[in-house]
């Protein structure tokens, strides 16, 4: 018997009707199962010749002039069978209804030909389409909640792995179902979004049908989804909620995440209004993975971290993140960690888990770079600026408040350097956040760190912009100093966080960009040789030397609160460039205890001296050396940042240690008491509060 396929034919006369009695396919499941079991026992089955009295019947769609072959049943008879099964179910007789459900529940079972001498009553793979058409005509009955079980079974059938004709019929069934009963909209969309995570053909393939590729499957899925959204525009809001709720779990594999991301990105192509929502969903997940991955890496010892990096070397190509040849990513991260094996190695499990997180992060970042890049073909255009505003909004809402974000921010780092207009927009947003009066201190601190890191690390920033921002920071520092110094007993991070954050940002910029702050140099200084600047008398930008010196030697004593690693580097470079000499202050600060200036101690009328214990470590009251554009380490996606980045360069005699470099440079004969007085290390001073 030929398979059930539509074929266009022209007919001039009436449709002949057969006198052969028609037997229903809706038999009890036990009958069908018994015949299959009998066939399974045969070693050499032989196809029985077709009886001349059992002629094939056809159904003609006169509207489209298409002929359907349905074996021994006409379309009208199948519709009657389905309607009867549904009506009997509503009366309490579930026999035919259950068999109808079984047809769709077992739709992936391979077709078994009948044994010799037995009638071929088994539903052939292609004939399931007829039942979808019949159910479409019975949608008014399916509205009854008693038919929910059948509806959900039909929705879960493998419709994407069949032929195009079945997909078209199934699409019309979905539209009719939602149109008749609006409450089915959510289950229909949930079924479709649930397939966003499918990546392997074994999930959607159906026996007796040609294999359907991943690309074809997704084209069918999104064509159907697009059709439904056109039919029901209000479904977009429901879809957006489902896109968030159906996100893969964090411990799902890279393959699952990338399948979902690929499907999300397809939606924005036919629903332009959902573009921002799609990008937000993806970026939220990237930030979550990024911050968790960074926390996990910080908890590892050096040996385990090295093992993770070694394992990542195997993954060097990112063209196909869902490669079918890669079976190593099938298991979720959770499955790779938990094991009942007595030989289970916890370190190996941690390495595998973190490696999976790094690969997920790398794949998603690489994909986002490739998606955003076409919008910046002409970086000075309004199109590019429109997309950049999306990036800027996502950065402000998702990335900036996340302290442990390590790689996500490099999206805006890359695109902000493509044009002066984009650079100004990014820096302007950071400046506004850092200096707005109603901004929480934690965001001010983060904005200052991002601004300093961008200015220090951005390879395409002009010297004029670097000088302008450096001067702007000095201006705001002086305003903060005048505001806080009368209230200051000594260095106190909790009370004066915005001030110390700006000082650390200024020192960080100086360490990377000191050459851009120099206005003129002696003739024999070679701009290509940083070592030639050492020990020379140079003219610096404006009054920056004086302005920064006022801050450093103020009563607020910022060098005690800023991260020691940055203070040490600044002291070394500024001394050898004859910019500023701060070593005596650094040494005297070693005797200052920040706990004596805690705000909580002011009410006692005294300060906490060394009483034999510390409530908290001294470093708790100092700034973290966190600058978000430190080197990008993801192995594949780092290709997008080539030539965008200023790397730290060690210059012998300037910022690199040598045999003659020691603390001997410090003038031990300097009157440290005078320095101590100028830095408010005396706790017996007047209380200004």
């Amino acid at each position: 018997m030929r398979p059930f396929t539509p074929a266009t034919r022209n007919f001039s006369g009436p449709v002949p009707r057969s006198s052969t009695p028609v037997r229903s396919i809706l038999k009890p499941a036990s009958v069908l199962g018994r015949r299959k079991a009998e066939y399974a026992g045969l070693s050499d089955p032989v196809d029985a010749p077709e009886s001349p009295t059992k002629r094939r019947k056809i159904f003609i769609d006169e509207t489209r002039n298409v002929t359907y072959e349905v074996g021994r049943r006409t379309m009208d008879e199948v519709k009657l069978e389905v309607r009867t099964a549904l009506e009997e179910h509503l009366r309490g007789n579930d026999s035919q209804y259950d068999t109808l459900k079984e047809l769709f529940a077992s739709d992936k079972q391979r077709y078994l030909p009948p044994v010799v001498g037995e009638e071929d009553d088994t539903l052939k793979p292609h004939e399931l389409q007829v039942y979808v058409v019949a159910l479409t005509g019975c949608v008014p009955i399916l509205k009854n909640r008693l038919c929910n079980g059948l509806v959900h079974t039909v929705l879960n059938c493998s419709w994407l792995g069949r032929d195009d004709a079945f997909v078209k019929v199934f699409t019309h069934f979905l539209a009719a179902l939602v149109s008749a009963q609006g409450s089915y909209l959510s289950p229909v969309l949930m079924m479709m979004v649930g397939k966003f995570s499918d990546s392997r053909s074994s999930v959607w393939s159906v026996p007796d049908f040609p294999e359907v590729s991943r690309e074809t499957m997704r084209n069918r899925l999104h064509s159907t989804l697009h059709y439904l959204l056109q039919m029901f525009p209000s479904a977009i809001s429901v879809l957006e909620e489902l896109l968030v709720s159906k996100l893969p779990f964090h411990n799902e594999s890279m393959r699952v995440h990338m399948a979902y991301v690929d499907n999300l990105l397809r939606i924005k192509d036919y629903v332009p209004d959902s573009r921002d929502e799609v990008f937000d969903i993806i970026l939220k997940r990237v930030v979550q993975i990024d911050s968790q991955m960074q926390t996990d890496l910080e908890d590892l010892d050096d040996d385990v971290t090295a093992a993770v990096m070694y394992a990542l070397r195997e993954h060097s190509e990112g063209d196909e993140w869902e490669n079918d040849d890669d079976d190593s990513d099938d298991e979720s991260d959770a499955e790779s960690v938990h094991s009942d094996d007595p030989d289970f190695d916890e370190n190996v499990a941690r390495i595998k888990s973190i490696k999976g997180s790094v690969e997920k992060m790398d794949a998603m970042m690489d994909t986002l770079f490739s998606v955003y890049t076409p919008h910046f073909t002409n970086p000075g255009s309004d199109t590019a600026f429109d997309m950049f505003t999306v990036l800027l909004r996502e950065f402000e809402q998702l990335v900036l408040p996340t302290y442990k974000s390590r790689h996500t921010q490099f999206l805006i780092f890359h695109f902000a350097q493509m044009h002066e207009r984009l650079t100004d927009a990014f820096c302007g947003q950071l400046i506004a956040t850092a200096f707005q009066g109603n901004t929480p201190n934690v965001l001010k601190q983060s904005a200052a760190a991002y601004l300093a890191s961008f200015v220090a690390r951005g390879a395409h920033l002009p010297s004029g912009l670097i000088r302008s921002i450096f001067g702007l920071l000095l201006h705001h520092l002086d305003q903060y100093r005048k505001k806080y110094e009368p209230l200051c007993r000594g260095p106190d991070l909790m009370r004066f966080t915005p001030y110390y954050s700006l000082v650390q940002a200024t020192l960080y910029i100086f360490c990377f960009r000191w050459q851009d702050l120099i206005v003129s140099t002696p003739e024999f200084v070679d701009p290509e040789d940083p070592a030639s600047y050492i020990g020379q008398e140079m003219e610096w930008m404006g009054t920056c030397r004086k302005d920064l010196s006022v801050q450093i030697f103020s009563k607020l004593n910022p060098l005690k609160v800023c991260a020691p690693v940055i203070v040490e580097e600044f002291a070394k470079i500024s001394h050898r460039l004859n910019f500023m000499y701060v070593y005596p202050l650094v040494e005297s600060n070693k005797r200052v205890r920040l706990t004596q200036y805690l705000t909580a101690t002011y009410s006692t009328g005294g300060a906490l001296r060394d009483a034999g214990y510390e409530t908290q470590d001294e470093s708790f009251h100092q700034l973290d050396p966190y600058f978000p554009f430190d080197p990008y380490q993801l192995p594949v996606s780092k290709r997008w940042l080539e030539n965008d980045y200023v790397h730290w360069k060690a210059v012998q005699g300037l910022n690199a240690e040598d045999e003659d470099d020691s603390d001997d440079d410090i003038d031990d004969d300097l009157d440290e008491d005078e320095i101590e007085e100028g830095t408010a290390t005396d706790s017996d001073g007047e209380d200004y509060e």
Side-chain angles (χ1 to χ4, degrees), residues 513-530:
R513 296 292 195 169
W514 55 266
Q515 282 182 283
D516 294 290
L517 304 178
I518 297 175
V519 176
S520 64
T521 61
E523 295 181 358
F524 49 82
V525 171
D526 182 7
E528 301 298 326
D529 180 16

Side-chain angles (χ1 to χ4, degrees), residues 640-656:
W640 297 95
L641 299 169
E642 292 180 1
N643 304 321
D644 283 350
Y645 201 75
V646 173
H647 294 275
W648 178 256
K649 296 179 180 178
V651 179
Q652 196 70 24
L654 179 62
N655 56 18

Side-chain angles (χ1 to χ4, degrees), residues 6-7 63 80 99 157 184 210 217 248-249 256 290 292 295 341 362 394 399 420 458 466 499 528 583 598-599 673:
T63 304
L80 179 60
T99 305
C157 76
Y184 281 126
M217 182 275 289
F249 291 111
V256 172
D290 194 9
Q292 183 59 49
T295 301
D341 191 339
D362 198 9
E394 292 175 336
V399 181
E420 180 181 356
I466 296 171
Y499 175 79
E528 301 298 326
Y583 276 119
L598 291 180
T599 305
D673 292 337

Side-chain angles (χ1 to χ4, degrees), residues 564-669:
V565 63
I566 295 176
V567 171
E568 180 182 355
E569 201 63 41
F570 171 78
K572 185 188 304 180
I573 295 176
S574 63
H575 170 50
R576 293 173 181 176
L577 293 175
N578 288 333
F579 179 78
M580 192 179 302
Y581 189 62
V582 297
Y583 276 119
L585 176 59
V586 173
E587 287 299 306
S588 66
N589 278 342
K590 294 178 180 179
R591 299 191 297 272
V592 176
R593 309 190 69 82
L594 291 175
T595 52
Q596 65 184 323
Y597 300 110
L598 291 180
T599 305
T601 65
Y602 294 163
S603 60
T604 65
L608 290 178
R609 293 293 187 178
D610 187 2
Y613 73 95
E614 288 286 343
T615 57
Q616 291 170 326
D617 186 78
E618 191 81 351
S619 62
F620 182 82
H621 307 290
Q622 294 176 317
L623 289 170
D624 289 333
Y626 173 68
F627 287 92
F629 295 123
D630 281 349
Y632 190 92
Q633 301 292 347
L634 298 179
V636 176
S637 54
K638 67 180 181 181
R639 61 193 172 102
W640 297 95
L641 299 169
E642 292 180 1
N643 304 321
D644 283 350
Y645 201 75
V646 173
H647 294 275
W648 178 256
K649 296 179 180 178
V651 179
Q652 196 70 24
L654 179 62
N655 56 18
E657 298 293 340
D658 53 40
E659 295 180 357
D660 298 330
D661 182 24
S662 66
D663 291 339
D664 294 338
D665 293 330
I666 302 176
D667 186 0
D668 294 330
D669 296 331

Side-chain angles (χ1 to χ4, degrees), residues 4 100 103-104 107 123-133 157 162 166:
F4 170 66
L100 184 60
L103 293 179
F104 288 92
D107 67 315
L123 186 72
K124 297 178 176 60
H126 294 77
E127 293 179 355
L128 189 64
Q129 176 179 339
V130 183
Y131 283 87
V132 176
V133 175
C157 76
R162 295 174 177 267
F166 187 94

Side-chain angles (χ1 to χ4, degrees), residues 26 79-100 138 141 144 146-147 150:
L26 298 181
K79 287 182 177 180
L80 179 60
E81 292 173 6
V82 171
R83 181 176 295 274
T84 301
L86 296 177
E87 291 175 347
E88 288 297 317
H89 170 65
L90 297 181
R91 297 188 185 100
N93 184 5
D94 296 339
S95 177
Q96 295 185 50
Y97 175 84
D98 291 340
T99 305
L100 184 60
C138 296
I141 303 178
N144 194 304
L146 295 177
C147 296
L150 174 62

Side-chain angles (χ1 to χ4, degrees), residues 445 493 497 500-502 504 561-564 619-626:
Q445 181 178 347
L493 176 60
T497 299
Y500 294 119
S501 299
L502 283 187
Q504 180 160 291
V561 178
C562 292
S619 62
F620 182 82
H621 307 290
Q622 294 176 317
L623 289 170
D624 289 333
Y626 173 68

